[in-house]
Amino acid sequence: MCVKTEGPIRINKQNQHYKELNMSKVGFIGVGTMGCPMASNIVSKGNDLNFYDPYVQENNKTKLLNLGAKHCLSIKDLVQDRDFVITMLPNGTNVKDVCFNNDSLLQQEQKNYIFIDMSTILPSDSININEEFKSNNIFMFDAPVARLVNNAIDGTLLIMVGGDKEKFDTIKPLLETMGSDVIYCGSNGSGSKMKIINNYMSIVSNIVTAESLSLVHKSGIDLNLAINLLTTTAAGKGHLNTSYPMKVLNNDIAPGFKNTLALKDLKLALEQGEIDGIDLRTGKSALKNYEDADKTKYKDLDWTSMFNYIKEINNLD
Ligand code: NAD
């Protein structure tokens, strides 16, 4: 059973009418922190939306009902006559539950929709789930999102998509109701892979940023002065905006700044950390890479050649 209240944005419900107006009938599963604003944008932009979330917060439910969405009490009811079904759930176990367990998507007779999982999950889970949907003749895409809840509210998420390239144009307009940057990344699993890579880089650099600002804090140097300074160098701009395009990505690893000098300077920072009583754990784990590289040809090559070194020690072509 699906429940709705008349909200301000109701449109003619005839299937044909939706098609003529290029609007979609969407089922949304998981309307939490991100899912609720994403679903709100879908319905606000004129699409028909059913949602299902057995643990839905009252304020999220009310918000969606007021926009004209319908609350469904089962997946069976949610999928009826839908063109698209979207999941936005905490983790891979939740997504597999919704796909395969009791009252799950694949148990329903109605299979005439495209399935888009927007949760952040392990790429191999995305690939395995897709195999099951494919054998039920349902197209599936993984389309996890980057950026923050305010971007979910504004409809300015970055959405990274993996799945069938030819079918991508069919889902792009729907994804553009939620995101300002909808990027096709490759076959099934590629959206999840890109999302995890993005998060790995930003989550680890969060810690090195925190460690560096802790050194500033202890140093007595003005924090704003330090931040203004750091944002003019590779430290704050990031290697992808500075050193990598000029050097290793340009097939040039002739020394500008040598790895052996980077090793010396990293040791200086770690020693300063010891003096200041700050445990620079990220720096200590980076140290091993620089020390090991210092015993190889990479010693006197440009520091961006660490990209080649890391590929080499991991047996990548
Ligand atoms: P959340 O916990 O706020 O919301 C998840 C929703 O899923 C909840 O409302 C919950 O009741 C519902 N749910 C759980 N199990 C369910 C089930 N079996 N059936 C139906 N609904 C179910 O999580 P969130 O912050 O919205 O995150 C969702 C996904 O988005 C996660 O994979 C997260 O990693 C990713 N993400 C989050 C953010 C963020 O800033 N919060 C940013 C980018 C990506």
Side-chain angles (χ1 to χ4, degrees):
M1 193 187 92
C2 296
V3 183
K4 81 175 178 67
T5 58
E6 285 304 326
I9 306 174
R10 291 307 309 153
I11 325 158
N12 187 325
K13 277 172 50 190
Q14 295 300 310
N15 254 356
Q16 194 49 40
H17 190 67
Y18 278 99
K19 297 276 184 271
E20 281 163 13
L21 292 175
N22 212 11
M23 287 164 185
S24 304
K25 292 164 97 67
V26 182
F28 204 107
I29 303 178
V31 288
T33 310
M34 298 295 279
C36 179
M38 288 160 68
S40 299
N41 278 321
I42 293 174
V43 72
S44 299
K45 290 170 189 169
N47 298 291
D48 182 71
L49 190 109
N50 286 358
F51 64 99
Y52 168 77
D53 185 333
Y55 322 103
V56 63
Q57 286 183 14
E58 227 22 64
N59 56 336
N60 288 353
K61 185 169 106 180
T62 306
K63 179 169 186 209
L64 289 168
L65 287 173
N66 285 341
L67 287 168
K70 276 165 280 171
H71 181 210
C72 296
L73 301 179
S74 69
I75 289 181
K76 184 173 193 289
D77 288 335
L78 177 105
V79 296
Q80 299 309 321
D81 77 0
R82 297 295 95 180
D83 303 314
F84 301 95
V85 172
I86 294 175
T87 41
M88 189 56 172
L89 299 165
N91 57 49
T93 305
N94 304 132
V95 179
K96 284 184 263 185
D97 276 351
V98 161
C99 291
F100 307 127
N101 281 356
N102 289 336
D103 182 40
S104 66
L105 288 169
L106 286 187
Q107 284 179 337
Q108 313 309 321
E109 272 176 35
Q110 143 63 349
K111 291 189 166 66
N112 193 21
Y113 58 84
I114 293 177
F115 175 45
I116 308 169
D117 176 38
M118 303 190 74
S119 326
T120 300
I121 68 171
L122 198 64
S124 57
D125 279 344
S126 301
I127 291 166
N128 293 338
I129 295 167
N130 174 58
E131 286 303 314
E132 294 293 327
F133 276 75
K134 200 168 155 191
S135 61
N136 281 269
N137 296 317
I138 300 173
F139 274 98
M140 175 184 168
F141 289 85
D142 41 292
V145 310
R147 299 182 186 152
L148 304 170
V149 67
N150 58 304
N151 301 103
I153 294 166
D154 294 347
T156 54
L157 291 168
L158 163 64
I159 304 178
M160 295 153 276
V161 187
D164 187 284
K165 188 164 178 26
E166 281 167 20
K167 223 42 183 173
F168 174 58
D169 282 346
T170 317
I171 64 163
K172 198 170 176 221
L174 173 62
L175 297 180
E176 283 172 340
T177 65
M178 297 175 273
S180 51
D181 300 274
V182 178
I183 312 291
Y184 179 77
C185 297
S187 59
N188 287 93
S190 303
S192 293
K193 285 178 188 166
M194 194 62 243
K195 165 70 181 169
I196 283 169
I197 293 164
N198 174 69
N199 279 22
Y200 175 70
M201 199 163 168
S202 61
I203 288 166
V204 175
S205 62
N206 176 28
I207 303 300
V208 79
T209 304
E211 288 178 352
S212 305
L213 294 187
S214 300
L215 285 170
V216 174
H217 182 79
K218 183 75 185 184
S219 71
I221 296 167
D222 178 71
L223 183 65
N224 288 329
L225 180 149
I227 290 170
N228 286 337
L229 185 153
L230 290 167
T231 50
T232 66
T233 74
K237 283 185 169 172
H239 282 281
L240 293 183
N241 282 313
T242 52
S243 58
Y244 270 50
M246 280 189 295
K247 296 295 287 179
V248 68
L249 298 179
N250 197 27
N251 289 324
D252 175 9
I253 52 171
F257 183 49
K258 290 179 193 170
N259 276 318
T260 199
L261 290 178
L263 172 61
K264 181 223 11 156
D265 289 356
L266 176 55
K267 283 178 172 169
L268 291 177
L270 293 177
E271 212 172 319
Q272 186 62 42
E274 292 272 312
I275 294 164
D276 289 345
I278 300 169
D279 188 7
L280 300 173
R281 295 179 192 175
T282 314
K284 284 177 191 164
S285 84
L287 179 68
K288 173 147 176 58
N289 282 310
Y290 282 109
E291 281 179 336
D292 289 351
D294 209 55
K295 296 174 195 132
T296 72
K297 65 178 181 189
Y298 288 97
K299 175 184 170 106
D300 289 318
L301 292 176
D302 190 71
W303 62 332
T304 63
S305 69
M306 287 305 274
F307 177 31
N308 295 351
Y309 173 74
I310 295 289
K311 283 191 290 184
E312 201 172 294
I313 62 172
N314 288 290
N315 301 314
L316 304 178
D317 295 334

